[in-house]
Amino acid sequence: MRNDAALILVGLICMTIAGCGTAENGSSSTTPSVAAPVVKKDLPSVTVHLAGDSTVMTYATTTVQEGWGQELAQFFNDKVTIDNKAIGGANVKSFKAGNWNKIIAVLQTGDYVLIQFGANDSGTAHGPVTPTDFAATLGQMTEEVRAKGATPIFVTPSAFYQWTEGKEDNARLAPYAAAMYTEGAAKNVLVDDLNARGVEYLNSVGQTAATPMYLPSRGTVDKAHFVKAGATQMAKLVAEELRRINSPLAAYLK
């Protein structure tokens, strides 16, 4: 009886720690089991195409001006190629009639297209495009991307350097960010909210710290365009937002 009780106690202990087993020679073993290492499946190479305006485009090395697309590659692993077709002065309609065709021509199954507009659409010499027309054009772009087996992601417009009583004034861009959310919901497209994250970031650092991120312009600060520091920060926010929205593209981030 005493031996039986001891065996039962040993069995209960093994069940509790889930570490006992039987060796090949039939003797009991108290070595804890070790889970097999998880091997991450190799990711296929992809191209991330950028459709956007001057706040996204890649500039010549002869200028200090940069777009965030110029700095985006550093946040991805080497399986990602960035194809930056953003161009200055573009609104969503003028881009669709121009460089958009260059993206569609080379788009491959599995690729991604990040689409950011709103700065020129919201009221400059290069616009305006109403939020309704803006959303409709994004919808057309979505269909064309998906027809090629690729994935669109809307990126809301990067925050302007505009301040009211020490806080970021986002009134001009907000309707276009909202239009992206509306069309994204209608078309089941993820929205990378650079606008919201940018406003949050700028408010957190304050106007004085934000000033060196934007392009100097005739003795003042350009409201829309970046130097390297600003472009890099905006690219970082775009990358971090991919994780927050659970985009499959986030698997490629470093």
Side-chain angles (χ1 to χ4, degrees), residues 216-221:
S217 177
R218 294 184 291 276
T220 182
V221 181

Side-chain angles (χ1 to χ4, degrees), residues 219-231:
T220 182
V221 181
D222 187 300
K223 68 177 178 296
H225 302 108
F226 308 109
V227 295
K228 186 180 184 67

